[in-house]
Amino acid sequence: MRLQSLNCPNCGSPLRTENNMQICDSCGSTFKIDYDDSDVAYERLSKEDEINRQRFEHEKEMLETEYRLQEEARIKKAKYEKSEARKKAAANKVKGFIALLIMLGIFGGFMLLVYFVIKGEAIINTDKIYGTTTTETTVSPYLISASDVLADEEFMKNAVASVFSEIRSSRKGNPVTTFDIPITEWYMVGDPEIYDCYLLVNEDENRLCFLVKITYQSERDEDDYKEVYDCLYLRNLTVGKDGKIACDYAVRDDRGEGATNWTWIAAEESDQLYRSAILGKSEFSREKFNLPASVIPTPEPEETESDSDEDSEDDYDDDYDEDYDDDYEED
């Protein structure tokens, strides 16, 4: 491309380009721009570059659109598969729950059958003990009174000993941890104290209940004590023809939901324990009685470190004396 003139040759003023023409605004002269073959080739190449650029942009846009659609389809498929997996898991849980209910129903029916069989055999055996004739009796073997229980001092000793043994084995030496700040471990000290006794009776079952107080001592402060309360009982007491009481001596606990503090596995208030464990059993008639002092077992001695040290010193002195005596006799 050759430029014929940069300034107007007539007046020397600058030229402006318009429609392939050079125009002088001062004198009105016009000049034509002469394009050669190289200019035409350049124009063609410029147009091809633009066309190629537009084609590239179009293809790029198509690829981006295709990728976006594929990604959306993948995400939608993943959500669908996740939803189906969740539905399948929920269906499996429902099936498992139904199967569990069926198994529990079968087990419960079996246990109910066993209960009625055992109950029937117990009634038959009781009838044999009392020499019952072929006529059925409506008197329940569990309808006994507190006077029947107190009359058998040997039974009462064994019953109280069972309660003490249960508490010692389950609580003595096993710390109770309170997770307040600071975390503290509490240890049972001394023996439990039976402060109330009740006989709960109905036609199907009876319970000999002992309300006990248990004392714990803080590991952090020897002067810090905690008193908690528990209800332990023996059940299914029967009285024989000789007036002796019999049961399985399996100690159970039932302090009631309203009284339970699961940190201590006991009640923190004796009144609440009484309401939950005694008054709350409306299906029983209740009779309170006093526990004879003769049935309370002897407290277990508390072994201290000083006692252990003294025993060790005594053993050492005895061994020393024996060795000295032997040497003296040889001389």
Side-chain angles (χ1 to χ4, degrees):
M1 181 177 66
R2 295 191 300 272
L3 182 63
Q4 301 295 330
S5 179
L6 295 176
N7 294 320
C8 179
N10 297 328
C11 64
S13 298
L15 299 175
R16 64 181 177 85
T17 302
E18 183 177 347
N19 296 328
N20 295 327
M21 300 291 289
Q22 295 289 329
I23 301 173
C24 179
D25 292 331
S26 296
C27 64
S29 300
T30 60
F31 305 90
K32 182 180 178 181
I33 300 175
D34 185 15
Y35 291 99
D36 55 16
D37 293 339
S38 63
D39 295 326
V40 175
Y42 175 78
E43 183 69 20
R44 186 178 66 254
L45 291 175
S46 297
K47 290 181 179 180
E48 288 179 357
D49 289 341
E50 179 64 21
I51 291 172
N52 291 333
R53 186 188 65 79
Q54 291 180 359
R55 183 184 296 113
F56 173 77
E57 291 293 335
H58 177 70
E59 291 177 354
K60 178 183 177 183
E61 183 179 356
M62 292 295 293
L63 290 174
E64 289 178 348
T65 302
E66 182 180 0
Y67 174 77
R68 178 175 55 80
L69 293 176
Q70 289 178 353
E71 189 68 15
E72 290 178 354
R74 185 187 65 79
I75 294 174
K76 185 176 181 180
K77 182 180 179 181
K79 289 183 178 179
Y80 173 78
E81 291 177 350
K82 186 176 181 180
S83 176
E84 289 298 316
R86 190 183 299 113
K87 291 179 181 178
K88 186 176 180 180
N92 290 336
K93 287 183 179 179
V94 172
K95 292 179 181 178
F97 181 71
I98 293 175
L100 179 61
L101 290 179
I102 294 174
M103 293 179 62
L104 290 176
I106 296 174
F107 180 75
F110 175 75
M111 294 302 297
L112 189 62
L113 176 63
V114 172
Y115 169 76
F116 282 116
V117 170
I118 294 176
K119 182 178 179 182
E121 291 180 353
I123 293 176
I124 293 173
N125 292 334
T126 305
D127 292 342
K128 290 180 180 179
I129 292 175
Y130 285 97
T132 308
T133 61
T134 54
T135 58
E136 295 184 356
T137 176
T138 58
V139 178
S140 171
Y142 302 114
L143 293 178
I144 62 177
S145 64
S147 58
D148 296 328
V149 176
L150 291 173
D152 190 346
E153 184 175 348
E154 181 180 0
F155 165 76
M156 287 300 299
K157 286 183 178 179
N158 290 326
V160 173
S162 297
V163 171
F164 274 55
S165 177
E166 172 65 22
I167 296 177
R168 288 167 179 165
S169 63
S170 62
R171 295 179 180 270
K172 195 166 187 178
N174 298 324
V176 173
T177 303
T178 53
F179 292 93
D180 47 359
I181 303 300
I183 295 177
T184 305
E185 287 188 344
W186 301 73
Y187 291 86
M188 174 181 162
V189 293
D191 273 328
E193 174 189 344
I194 300 177
Y195 63 90
D196 265 337
C197 301
Y198 289 88
L199 182 64
L200 305 183
V201 179
N202 63 23
E203 293 184 354
D204 298 320
E205 181 189 359
N206 53 48
R207 297 183 179 185
L208 181 60
C209 299
F210 298 93
L211 302 186
V212 299
K213 179 174 70 174
I214 305 167
T215 303
Y216 283 91
Q217 183 182 36
S218 169
E219 66 165 349
R220 294 182 174 275
D221 186 357
E222 294 183 354
D223 296 328
D224 191 4
Y225 293 92
K226 176 72 176 180
E227 294 178 346
V228 295
Y229 305 88
D230 202 356
C231 175
L232 296 100
Y233 68 92
L234 303 174
R235 69 174 183 176
N236 296 341
L237 283 66
T238 57
V239 56
K241 192 173 182 180
D242 56 356
K244 298 295 184 180
I245 304 296
C247 74
D248 59 4
Y249 290 101
V251 179
R252 300 167 174 85
D253 60 73
D254 183 7
R255 60 193 69 89
E257 293 294 334
T260 301
N261 181 312
W262 294 111
T263 299
W264 300 96
I265 317 180
E268 293 193 73
E269 297 180 1
S270 59
D271 292 343
Q272 182 59 39
L273 177 67
Y274 169 73
R275 287 189 290 268
S276 297
I278 305 301
L279 292 184
K281 302 297 183 290
S282 58
E283 67 272 22
F284 293 93
S285 62
R286 60 183 178 274
E287 184 178 1
K288 182 178 180 180
F289 62 94
N290 295 323
L291 192 66
S294 58
V295 302
I296 303 297
T298 304
E300 288 188 346
E302 295 290 338
E303 182 178 354
T304 61
E305 295 183 0
S306 59
D307 294 337
S308 301
D309 295 338
E310 290 177 1
D311 293 340
S312 300
E313 291 178 359
D314 293 341
D315 294 340
Y316 175 80
D317 293 340
D318 294 340
D319 294 339
Y320 177 79
D321 292 341
E322 291 176 0
D323 295 339
Y324 179 79
D325 292 341
D326 292 340
D327 295 338
Y328 180 77
E329 290 177 357
E330 290 178 2
D331 293 338

